[in-house]
């Protein structure tokens, strides 16, 4: 991980400077809190990346909606790969979907998200008191009450479920394994880092709800 940490070091430094600035902002309205500063920084980052999130999530949703038609094409032309590729390409064109559209926004976001990871994983709080937040004795240490690891698993599950339209066997396994894995590694991560992950998931869930509220209302009216 040392190689990757070096790559993201400039972004890590910038984010730590912003975190310090947000901490001073919290001091203006009351007792300074790095926990609140972490939450604010996460919200700011998610709002900046919102246009990319829209493109990524919509592309993912569109691909999932085309999945049943793609399966039919794959089954019908399984003995003729060339025709199958042509039919799948025509399906994408007809639906106005680019299968790579969801990858580019993710690639752009990754350096920032990884920089955020390293900035919080390596962050040194100036005093033991400043590292305290709510029930957490120190955000440099794992959550002793396992509240944040449970929330990290739960919010990861909800965030996945929100963008899943088709529940095949692989998707069911992924929706079970991924949240459990995130919860498990959160047991040993600094609680400040897990606080960032939970906040990021909650903001993502809110953003996705906002993105799909119109389509959900339309579906309800059509069902009625």
């Amino acid at each position: 991980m040392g190689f990757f940490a070096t790559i993201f070091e400039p972004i890590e430094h910038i984010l730590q400077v912003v975190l310090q600035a947000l901490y001073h902002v919290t001091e203006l309205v009351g007792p300074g809190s790095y926990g609140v500063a972490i939450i604010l920084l996460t919200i700011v980052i998610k709002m900046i990346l919102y246009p990319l999130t829209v493109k990524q999530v919509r592309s993912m949703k569109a691909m999932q909606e085309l999945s049943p038609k793609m399966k039919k094409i794959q089954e019908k032309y399984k003995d003729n790969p060339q025709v199958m590729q042509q039919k799948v390409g025509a399906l994408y064109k007809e639906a106005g979907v680019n299968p790579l559209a969801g990858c580019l926004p993710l690639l752009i976001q990754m350096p920032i998200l990884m920089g955020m990871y390293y900035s919080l994983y390596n962050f040194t709080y100036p005093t033991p008191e400043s590292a305290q937040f709510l029930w957490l004795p120190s955000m440099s240490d794992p959550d002793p009450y396992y509240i944040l690891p449970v929330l990290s698993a739960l919010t990861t599950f909800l965030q996945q479920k929100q963008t899943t339209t088709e529940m095949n066997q692989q998707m069911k396994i992924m929706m079970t394994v991924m949240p459990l894995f995130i919860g498990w590694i959160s047991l040993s991560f600094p609680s400040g880092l897990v606080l960032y992950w939970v906040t990021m998931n909650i903001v993502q869930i809110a953003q996705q709800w906002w993105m799909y509220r119109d389509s959900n209302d339309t579906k309800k009216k059509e069902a009625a």
Side-chain angles (χ1 to χ4, degrees), residues 11 25 35 47 59 69 76 82 89 101 113 116 124 127 144 150 152 160 173 183 189 198 214 218:
I11 300 176
V25 170
M47 294 307 295
S59 176
K69 293 181 179 180
K76 185 176 181 179
Q82 185 175 357
L113 298 178
M116 187 71 175
T124 301
T127 64
V150 171
S152 69
Q160 288 183 145
I173 294 173
F189 277 0
V198 171
D214 292 335
T218 302

Side-chain angles (χ1 to χ4, degrees), residues 6-205:
T6 302
I7 293 178
F8 297 113
E9 187 174 355
I11 300 176
E12 174 187 343
H13 176 70
I14 292 172
L15 290 173
Q16 287 186 345
V17 170
V18 177
L19 181 62
Q20 291 283 7
L22 290 174
Y23 172 75
H24 293 311
V25 170
T26 65
E27 287 184 312
L28 296 176
V29 296
S33 172
Y34 276 103
V36 174
I38 289 172
I39 293 173
L40 291 175
L41 178 57
T42 307
I43 293 173
V44 168
I45 289 175
K46 288 300 294 179
M47 294 307 295
I48 292 173
L49 297 178
Y50 180 70
L52 295 175
T53 302
V54 170
K55 292 183 179 180
Q56 178 188 345
V57 172
R58 285 181 177 172
S59 176
M60 186 188 311
K61 196 83 171 178
M63 290 295 294
Q64 289 176 349
E65 290 173 352
L66 288 179
S67 182
K69 293 181 179 180
M70 288 181 59
K71 283 186 176 180
K72 290 181 180 180
I73 293 174
Q74 291 168 350
E75 291 173 0
K76 185 176 181 179
Y77 300 101
K78 61 183 178 181
D79 297 327
N80 195 333
Q82 185 175 357
V83 175
M84 181 176 66
Q85 290 179 0
Q86 292 175 350
K87 293 292 183 180
V88 170
L91 178 64
Y92 287 149
K93 186 176 182 180
E94 180 183 352
V97 174
N98 184 347
L100 300 179
C103 299
L104 182 59
L106 182 61
L107 291 175
I108 297 174
Q109 293 179 64
M110 281 304 296
I112 299 176
L113 298 178
M114 289 302 297
M116 187 71 175
Y117 167 85
Y118 284 113
S119 66
L120 291 177
Y121 192 88
N122 299 323
F123 189 74
T124 301
Y125 298 92
T127 64
E129 292 75 20
S130 66
Q132 297 174 2
F133 181 63
L134 298 178
W135 69 89
L136 301 169
S138 174
M139 289 186 290
S140 296
D141 301 323
D143 185 346
Y145 303 106
Y146 310 115
I147 296 174
L148 285 177
V150 171
L151 289 176
S152 69
L154 178 61
T155 54
T156 299
F157 173 79
L158 293 175
Q159 190 269 331
Q160 288 183 145
K161 186 175 178 61
Q162 201 175 28
T163 53
T164 302
T165 56
E166 184 185 358
M167 289 295 290
N168 54 34
Q169 190 60 33
Q170 291 181 336
M171 188 61 68
K172 288 180 181 179
I173 294 173
M174 179 61 67
M175 286 191 65
T176 301
V177 173
M178 182 59 71
L180 291 176
F181 174 73
I182 294 297
W184 177 68
I185 63 175
S186 296
L187 292 172
S188 57
F189 277 0
S191 51
L193 177 59
V194 186
L195 176 64
Y196 151 70
W197 182 264
V198 171
T199 305
M200 183 180 67
N201 281 344
I202 291 173
V203 176
Q204 180 82 2
I205 290 169

